[in-house]
Amino acid sequence: MTDITPTLKDTLQRYLRKERSALLATLDGLEERQIRWPFTPTGTNLLGLVKHTASVSLGYFGETFGRDHGQALPWFDDDARENDDLWATAGETREQIVSLYEASAREADATIAALDLDSPGRVPWWGEHGDVTLGRILVHMIAETAHHAGHADIVREMLLGTAPDADPNLPGWDAGQWAAYRSGLEEIAASAGA
């Protein structure tokens, strides 16, 4: 009898893939202006979150393990402005950034396939704490990707003015039910501040 129990590495990779898909799906059905619009005081926008996550994934699964991902990332050059990885220039298209994101996923998957969880790596930008293993980087990138997928969910909800469709973690309410729910929360918040 063959053991079909997934390994820890398989499980971690499955969670990483799930979060990568969730982040990319936040672009679905939206116009160029919408995916680029800065919705927070710090400029958080959907396309920028995808670009950033792709970029850091290439670094963590590439440079950390001495693997050349072959992608040009000019927003990390010494002369780049701060936060250039968190937004798309007018010349960068959705297709280019999605392609970069997909390439980063392929590169990560290739690194994961080639190495064991305890394979050593070095994150140069972590300084004295930069000695890592593939397992640690997998956990880090699951957290990083989930973090930004959560940001993107909220930005998308603000853009559309509605709850996500078919989210298994939310009730399947219509707009009226969500408005009533929110109104109740506003009343509680107002009374707490009185």
Side-chain angles (χ1 to χ4, degrees), residues 166-190:
D167 185 328
N169 296 314
L170 294 174
W173 294 343
D174 64 26
Q177 290 169 303
W178 281 114
Y181 175 74
R182 181 181 165 132
S183 179
L185 296 179
E186 288 171 349
E187 288 176 23
I188 293 167

PDB file of all heavy atoms in Angstrom, residues 166-190:
ATOM      1  N   ALA A 166     -19.265  34.791  -3.606  1.00  0.00           N
ATOM      2  CA  ALA A 166     -18.985  33.381  -3.322  1.00  0.00           C
ATOM      3  C   ALA A 166     -17.794  33.161  -2.405  1.00  0.00           C
ATOM      4  O   ALA A 166     -17.037  32.227  -2.580  1.00  0.00           O
ATOM      5  CB  ALA A 166     -18.795  32.607  -4.628  1.00  0.00           C
ATOM      6  N   ASP A 167     -17.615  34.020  -1.404  1.00  0.00           N
ATOM      7  CA  ASP A 167     -16.572  33.803  -0.413  1.00  0.00           C
ATOM      8  C   ASP A 167     -17.129  32.849   0.633  1.00  0.00           C
ATOM      9  O   ASP A 167     -18.098  33.184   1.318  1.00  0.00           O
ATOM     10  CB  ASP A 167     -16.162  35.128   0.231  1.00  0.00           C
ATOM     11  CG  ASP A 167     -14.997  34.991   1.192  1.00  0.00           C
ATOM     12  OD1 ASP A 167     -14.864  33.930   1.849  1.00  0.00           O
ATOM     13  OD2 ASP A 167     -14.216  35.944   1.310  1.00  0.00           O
ATOM     14  N   PRO A 168     -16.543  31.663   0.766  1.00  0.00           N
ATOM     15  CA  PRO A 168     -17.098  30.687   1.700  1.00  0.00           C
ATOM     16  C   PRO A 168     -17.006  31.115   3.167  1.00  0.00           C
ATOM     17  O   PRO A 168     -17.654  30.530   4.018  1.00  0.00           O
ATOM     18  CB  PRO A 168     -16.260  29.424   1.439  1.00  0.00           C
ATOM     19  CG  PRO A 168     -14.993  29.929   0.854  1.00  0.00           C
ATOM     20  CD  PRO A 168     -15.345  31.187   0.103  1.00  0.00           C
ATOM     21  N   ASN A 169     -16.224  32.148   3.450  1.00  0.00           N
ATOM     22  CA  ASN A 169     -16.081  32.627   4.820  1.00  0.00           C
ATOM     23  C   ASN A 169     -17.081  33.725   5.175  1.00  0.00           C
ATOM     24  O   ASN A 169     -17.065  34.217   6.299  1.00  0.00           O
ATOM     25  CB  ASN A 169     -14.655  33.135   5.045  1.00  0.00           C
ATOM     26  CG  ASN A 169     -13.641  32.026   4.915  1.00  0.00           C
ATOM     27  OD1 ASN A 169     -13.821  30.950   5.469  1.00  0.00           O
ATOM     28  ND2 ASN A 169     -12.597  32.260   4.163  1.00  0.00           N
ATOM     29  N   LEU A 170     -17.901  34.128   4.220  1.00  0.00           N
ATOM     30  CA  LEU A 170     -18.884  35.191   4.467  1.00  0.00           C
ATOM     31  C   LEU A 170     -20.286  34.675   4.190  1.00  0.00           C
ATOM     32  O   LEU A 170     -20.483  33.829   3.321  1.00  0.00           O
ATOM     33  CB  LEU A 170     -18.610  36.391   3.538  1.00  0.00           C
ATOM     34  CG  LEU A 170     -17.318  37.160   3.761  1.00  0.00           C
ATOM     35  CD1 LEU A 170     -17.138  38.203   2.666  1.00  0.00           C
ATOM     36  CD2 LEU A 170     -17.300  37.819   5.126  1.00  0.00           C
ATOM     37  N   PRO A 171     -21.283  35.222   4.910  1.00  0.00           N
ATOM     38  CA  PRO A 171     -22.661  34.852   4.590  1.00  0.00           C
ATOM     39  C   PRO A 171     -23.007  35.297   3.167  1.00  0.00           C
ATOM     40  O   PRO A 171     -22.494  36.305   2.682  1.00  0.00           O
ATOM     41  CB  PRO A 171     -23.494  35.636   5.606  1.00  0.00           C
ATOM     42  CG  PRO A 171     -22.546  36.195   6.604  1.00  0.00           C
ATOM     43  CD  PRO A 171     -21.175  36.177   5.999  1.00  0.00           C
ATOM     44  N   GLY A 172     -23.880  34.591   2.513  1.00  0.00           N
ATOM     45  CA  GLY A 172     -24.283  34.934   1.146  1.00  0.00           C
ATOM     46  C   GLY A 172     -25.378  35.981   1.130  1.00  0.00           C
ATOM     47  O   GLY A 172     -26.435  35.758   0.536  1.00  0.00           O
ATOM     48  N   TRP A 173     -25.129  37.112   1.764  1.00  0.00           N
ATOM     49  CA  TRP A 173     -26.126  38.165   1.893  1.00  0.00           C
ATOM     50  C   TRP A 173     -26.185  39.026   0.643  1.00  0.00           C
ATOM     51  O   TRP A 173     -25.193  39.206  -0.062  1.00  0.00           O
ATOM     52  CB  TRP A 173     -25.822  39.065   3.088  1.00  0.00           C
ATOM     53  CG  TRP A 173     -25.941  38.386   4.420  1.00  0.00           C
ATOM     54  CD1 TRP A 173     -26.575  37.212   4.695  1.00  0.00           C
ATOM     55  CD2 TRP A 173     -25.388  38.844   5.654  1.00  0.00           C
ATOM     56  NE1 TRP A 173     -26.460  36.915   6.023  1.00  0.00           N
ATOM     57  CE2 TRP A 173     -25.736  37.901   6.637  1.00  0.00           C
ATOM     58  CE3 TRP A 173     -24.639  39.955   6.014  1.00  0.00           C
ATOM     59  CZ2 TRP A 173     -25.368  38.043   7.973  1.00  0.00           C
ATOM     60  CZ3 TRP A 173     -24.271  40.097   7.341  1.00  0.00           C
ATOM     61  CH2 TRP A 173     -24.630  39.148   8.308  1.00  0.00           C
ATOM     62  N   ASP A 174     -27.355  39.658   0.428  1.00  0.00           N
ATOM     63  CA  ASP A 174     -27.488  40.634  -0.653  1.00  0.00           C
ATOM     64  C   ASP A 174     -27.060  42.006  -0.127  1.00  0.00           C
ATOM     65  O   ASP A 174     -26.737  42.168   1.063  1.00  0.00           O
ATOM     66  CB  ASP A 174     -28.910  40.644  -1.223  1.00  0.00           C
ATOM     67  CG  ASP A 174     -29.968  41.080  -0.217  1.00  0.00           C
ATOM     68  OD1 ASP A 174     -29.654  41.837   0.739  1.00  0.00           O
ATOM     69  OD2 ASP A 174     -31.134  40.679  -0.390  1.00  0.00           O
ATOM     70  N   ALA A 175     -27.077  43.000  -1.006  1.00  0.00           N
ATOM     71  CA  ALA A 175     -26.605  44.343  -0.639  1.00  0.00           C
ATOM     72  C   ALA A 175     -27.392  44.922   0.531  1.00  0.00           C
ATOM     73  O   ALA A 175     -26.823  45.581   1.415  1.00  0.00           O
ATOM     74  CB  ALA A 175     -26.680  45.269  -1.843  1.00  0.00           C
ATOM     75  N   GLY A 176     -28.697  44.686   0.574  1.00  0.00           N
ATOM     76  CA  GLY A 176     -29.519  45.194   1.671  1.00  0.00           C
ATOM     77  C   GLY A 176     -29.141  44.587   3.013  1.00  0.00           C
ATOM     78  O   GLY A 176     -29.094  45.290   4.037  1.00  0.00           O
ATOM     79  N   GLN A 177     -28.874  43.299   3.016  1.00  0.00           N
ATOM     80  CA  GLN A 177     -28.473  42.636   4.253  1.00  0.00           C
ATOM     81  C   GLN A 177     -27.116  43.146   4.739  1.00  0.00           C
ATOM     82  O   GLN A 177     -26.919  43.348   5.939  1.00  0.00           O
ATOM     83  CB  GLN A 177     -28.441  41.119   4.051  1.00  0.00           C
ATOM     84  CG  GLN A 177     -29.823  40.506   3.890  1.00  0.00           C
ATOM     85  CD  GLN A 177     -29.755  39.059   3.436  1.00  0.00           C
ATOM     86  OE1 GLN A 177     -29.160  38.760   2.396  1.00  0.00           O
ATOM     87  NE2 GLN A 177     -30.364  38.159   4.204  1.00  0.00           N
ATOM     88  N   TRP A 178     -26.186  43.343   3.807  1.00  0.00           N
ATOM     89  CA  TRP A 178     -24.884  43.888   4.195  1.00  0.00           C
ATOM     90  C   TRP A 178     -25.031  45.317   4.719  1.00  0.00           C
ATOM     91  O   TRP A 178     -24.374  45.690   5.701  1.00  0.00           O
ATOM     92  CB  TRP A 178     -23.899  43.844   3.026  1.00  0.00           C
ATOM     93  CG  TRP A 178     -23.306  42.481   2.822  1.00  0.00           C
ATOM     94  CD1 TRP A 178     -23.490  41.652   1.756  1.00  0.00           C
ATOM     95  CD2 TRP A 178     -22.460  41.771   3.735  1.00  0.00           C
ATOM     96  NE1 TRP A 178     -22.804  40.479   1.942  1.00  0.00           N
ATOM     97  CE2 TRP A 178     -22.155  40.509   3.145  1.00  0.00           C
ATOM     98  CE3 TRP A 178     -21.923  42.059   4.978  1.00  0.00           C
ATOM     99  CZ2 TRP A 178     -21.353  39.568   3.770  1.00  0.00           C
ATOM    100  CZ3 TRP A 178     -21.108  41.114   5.598  1.00  0.00           C
ATOM    101  CH2 TRP A 178     -20.834  39.889   4.993  1.00  0.00           C
ATOM    102  N   ALA A 179     -25.887  46.119   4.101  1.00  0.00           N
ATOM    103  CA  ALA A 179     -26.094  47.499   4.562  1.00  0.00           C
ATOM    104  C   ALA A 179     -26.661  47.511   5.975  1.00  0.00           C
ATOM    105  O   ALA A 179     -26.238  48.316   6.822  1.00  0.00           O
ATOM    106  CB  ALA A 179     -27.005  48.239   3.597  1.00  0.00           C
ATOM    107  N   ALA A 180     -27.618  46.632   6.259  1.00  0.00           N
ATOM    108  CA  ALA A 180     -28.205  46.562   7.599  1.00  0.00           C
ATOM    109  C   ALA A 180     -27.159  46.113   8.623  1.00  0.00           C
ATOM    110  O   ALA A 180     -27.082  46.656   9.740  1.00  0.00           O
ATOM    111  CB  ALA A 180     -29.398  45.610   7.597  1.00  0.00           C
ATOM    112  N   TYR A 181     -26.365  45.146   8.253  1.00  0.00           N
ATOM    113  CA  TYR A 181     -25.301  44.656   9.127  1.00  0.00           C
ATOM    114  C   TYR A 181     -24.316  45.780   9.446  1.00  0.00           C
ATOM    115  O   TYR A 181     -23.968  46.019  10.597  1.00  0.00           O
ATOM    116  CB  TYR A 181     -24.598  43.484   8.436  1.00  0.00           C
ATOM    117  CG  TYR A 181     -23.388  42.940   9.146  1.00  0.00           C
ATOM    118  CD1 TYR A 181     -23.512  42.169  10.293  1.00  0.00           C
ATOM    119  CD2 TYR A 181     -22.110  43.173   8.643  1.00  0.00           C
ATOM    120  CE1 TYR A 181     -22.400  41.650  10.941  1.00  0.00           C
ATOM    121  CE2 TYR A 181     -20.990  42.655   9.277  1.00  0.00           C
ATOM    122  CZ  TYR A 181     -21.141  41.897  10.421  1.00  0.00           C
ATOM    123  OH  TYR A 181     -20.034  41.386  11.048  1.00  0.00           O
ATOM    124  N   ARG A 182     -23.890  46.475   8.399  1.00  0.00           N
ATOM    125  CA  ARG A 182     -22.935  47.573   8.599  1.00  0.00           C
ATOM    126  C   ARG A 182     -23.546  48.675   9.455  1.00  0.00           C
ATOM    127  O   ARG A 182     -22.885  49.229  10.333  1.00  0.00           O
ATOM    128  CB  ARG A 182     -22.480  48.131   7.252  1.00  0.00           C
ATOM    129  CG  ARG A 182     -21.481  49.257   7.415  1.00  0.00           C
ATOM    130  CD  ARG A 182     -21.038  49.838   6.117  1.00  0.00           C
ATOM    131  NE  ARG A 182     -20.389  51.100   6.386  1.00  0.00           N
ATOM    132  CZ  ARG A 182     -19.233  51.473   5.887  1.00  0.00           C
ATOM    133  NH1 ARG A 182     -18.597  50.689   5.067  1.00  0.00           N
ATOM    134  NH2 ARG A 182     -18.715  52.632   6.189  1.00  0.00           N
ATOM    135  N   SER A 183     -24.808  48.985   9.226  1.00  0.00           N
ATOM    136  CA  SER A 183     -25.492  50.008  10.009  1.00  0.00           C
ATOM    137  C   SER A 183     -25.484  49.649  11.497  1.00  0.00           C
ATOM    138  O   SER A 183     -25.242  50.500  12.351  1.00  0.00           O
ATOM    139  CB  SER A 183     -26.923  50.177   9.500  1.00  0.00           C
ATOM    140  OG  SER A 183     -27.592  51.145  10.268  1.00  0.00           O
ATOM    141  N   GLY A 184     -25.732  48.387  11.789  1.00  0.00           N
ATOM    142  CA  GLY A 184     -25.683  47.935  13.181  1.00  0.00           C
ATOM    143  C   GLY A 184     -24.299  48.103  13.791  1.00  0.00           C
ATOM    144  O   GLY A 184     -24.162  48.517  14.951  1.00  0.00           O
ATOM    145  N   LEU A 185     -23.270  47.810  13.014  1.00  0.00           N
ATOM    146  CA  LEU A 185     -21.897  47.986  13.499  1.00  0.00           C
ATOM    147  C   LEU A 185     -21.570  49.459  13.721  1.00  0.00           C
ATOM    148  O   LEU A 185     -20.879  49.817  14.686  1.00  0.00           O
ATOM    149  CB  LEU A 185     -20.905  47.366  12.514  1.00  0.00           C
ATOM    150  CG  LEU A 185     -20.986  45.845  12.320  1.00  0.00           C
ATOM    151  CD1 LEU A 185     -19.952  45.399  11.289  1.00  0.00           C
ATOM    152  CD2 LEU A 185     -20.810  45.099  13.617  1.00  0.00           C
ATOM    153  N   GLU A 186     -22.072  50.334  12.840  1.00  0.00           N
ATOM    154  CA  GLU A 186     -21.854  51.771  12.993  1.00  0.00           C
ATOM    155  C   GLU A 186     -22.511  52.284  14.269  1.00  0.00           C
ATOM    156  O   GLU A 186     -21.943  53.122  14.981  1.00  0.00           O
ATOM    157  CB  GLU A 186     -22.384  52.518  11.765  1.00  0.00           C
ATOM    158  CG  GLU A 186     -21.522  52.309  10.522  1.00  0.00           C
ATOM    159  CD  GLU A 186     -22.140  52.867   9.260  1.00  0.00           C
ATOM    160  OE1 GLU A 186     -23.338  53.236   9.266  1.00  0.00           O
ATOM    161  OE2 GLU A 186     -21.405  52.919   8.243  1.00  0.00           O
ATOM    162  N   GLU A 187     -23.706  51.770  14.568  1.00  0.00           N
ATOM    163  CA  GLU A 187     -24.391  52.175  15.806  1.00  0.00           C
ATOM    164  C   GLU A 187     -23.594  51.773  17.037  1.00  0.00           C
ATOM    165  O   GLU A 187     -23.460  52.559  17.984  1.00  0.00           O
ATOM    166  CB  GLU A 187     -25.788  51.550  15.857  1.00  0.00           C
ATOM    167  CG  GLU A 187     -26.777  52.151  14.882  1.00  0.00           C
ATOM    168  CD  GLU A 187     -28.123  51.449  14.902  1.00  0.00           C
ATOM    169  OE1 GLU A 187     -28.457  50.797  15.925  1.00  0.00           O
ATOM    170  OE2 GLU A 187     -28.840  51.543  13.883  1.00  0.00           O
ATOM    171  N   ILE A 188     -23.065  50.554  17.026  1.00  0.00           N
ATOM    172  CA  ILE A 188     -22.248  50.090  18.159  1.00  0.00           C
ATOM    173  C   ILE A 188     -21.003  50.954  18.304  1.00  0.00           C
ATOM    174  O   ILE A 188     -20.642  51.376  19.402  1.00  0.00           O
ATOM    175  CB  ILE A 188     -21.878  48.603  17.989  1.00  0.00           C
ATOM    176  CG1 ILE A 188     -23.138  47.730  18.087  1.00  0.00           C
ATOM    177  CG2 ILE A 188     -20.819  48.174  18.986  1.00  0.00           C
ATOM    178  CD1 ILE A 188     -22.930  46.300  17.630  1.00  0.00           C
ATOM    179  N   ALA A 189     -20.344  51.247  17.178  1.00  0.00           N
ATOM    180  CA  ALA A 189     -19.119  52.071  17.217  1.00  0.00           C
ATOM    181  C   ALA A 189     -19.435  53.474  17.712  1.00  0.00           C
ATOM    182  O   ALA A 189     -18.689  54.028  18.521  1.00  0.00           O
ATOM    183  CB  ALA A 189     -18.498  52.124  15.824  1.00  0.00           C
ATOM    184  N   ALA A 190     -20.538  54.047  17.254  1.00  0.00           N
ATOM    185  CA  ALA A 190     -20.911  55.402  17.671  1.00  0.00           C
ATOM    186  C   ALA A 190     -21.201  55.446  19.165  1.00  0.00           C
ATOM    187  O   ALA A 190     -20.786  56.387  19.856  1.00  0.00           O
ATOM    188  CB  ALA A 190     -22.114  55.882  16.866  1.00  0.00           C
TER     189      ALA A 190
END
